[in-house]
Amino acid sequence: RSLCDWSSDVCSSDLPCITVILSSAHYIAGKYMVDRQHTDVVANLALQIFDKIRKLHGLGKRQRLLLQLGVILHSCGSYISEVQRRECSYQIIMSTEIIGISHKERSMVANMVRYNSLSFPAYEQFQSEFSTEEYLTIIKLNAILTIANVLDSSNRHKIPNVSISLKDDTLQITADTMADIKLEKGLFHSRADIFEEVFGIRPELRQKRSGR
């Protein structure tokens, strides 16, 4: 289905529905040969984390949508350069219109992706473009994307589902899988500091082997 075919799928208010916005992002991702199964797995994980810690981040439905867009487009730069994939992803997003979101929101998504797995720069670098609140929103979404993405680091979809619980000052993420997830555990541990710095809780990855 071409992007033009989505033109009739609009809300009664004449504003694009979430379905149209996400379809636009998937269309762009498809042009750059993004692994749809990988982004679907990461999106599922990221949204579970977002919903579980809603009281901690205080973000709403629109920011949840921006997180989804970031997940869909986070690896599109690999089509151009695997080594510079984050920077290339940023450039692709900034140079491509996404139906239903503003330029400011697109820039927020692009910067969320640009610093995926890296320490986020200080506010001074962004103060001419974003308010303090917008900057903090990007940091929060970036931290969630980074943690969710490492759960499918190998792109082999070894952890399609998790159970998540908040206990004291930890976010316990339990992966029910028989697969070897040493790589994911190692990368998860290395990203946990960033998540804890942003949200004030420590994420922990545990494995359960139920065989289901």
Side-chain angles (χ1 to χ4, degrees), residues 65-100:
L65 174 61
L66 297 183
L67 175 61
Q68 288 180 270
L69 296 178
V71 171
I72 293 169
L73 298 170
H74 78 274
S75 61
C76 60
S78 295
Y79 183 81
I80 298 173
S81 170
E82 186 62 36
V83 176
Q84 299 292 328
R85 62 185 181 280
R86 286 186 294 269
E87 182 63 29
C88 290
S89 294
Y90 169 83
Q91 296 295 339
I92 288 171
I93 295 168
M94 289 303 297
S95 63
T96 309
E97 293 292 332
I98 302 175
I99 292 175

Side-chain angles (χ1 to χ4, degrees), residues 83-177:
V83 176
Q84 299 292 328
R85 62 185 181 280
R86 286 186 294 269
E87 182 63 29
C88 290
S89 294
Y90 169 83
Q91 296 295 339
I92 288 171
I93 295 168
M94 289 303 297
S95 63
T96 309
E97 293 292 332
I98 302 175
I99 292 175
I101 70 169
S102 66
H103 173 80
K104 174 68 71 66
E105 289 175 320
R106 181 155 50 91
S107 184
M108 291 174 72
V109 171
N111 280 288
M112 179 205 322
V113 167
R114 189 181 202 178
Y115 299 103
N116 177 29
S117 81
L118 297 175
S119 297
F120 211 88
Y123 177 60
E124 286 71 23
Q125 183 170 324
F126 302 95
Q127 60 184 351
S128 63
E129 183 177 5
F130 301 116
S131 67
T132 304
E133 183 178 358
E134 290 166 341
Y135 170 76
L136 291 175
T137 295
I138 300 170
I139 287 180
K140 292 173 183 178
L141 297 180
N142 171 270
I144 295 172
L145 169 61
T146 298
I147 282 292
N149 192 38
V150 299
L151 293 174
D152 194 35
S153 326
S154 63
N155 280 39
R156 295 180 180 177
H157 328 306
K158 294 184 286 188
I159 310 177
N161 293 294
V162 298
S163 60
I164 302 175
S165 61
L166 276 171
K167 292 187 178 180
D168 300 324
D169 55 354
T170 64
L171 180 70
Q172 296 183 4
I173 301 176
T174 303
D176 189 349
T177 176

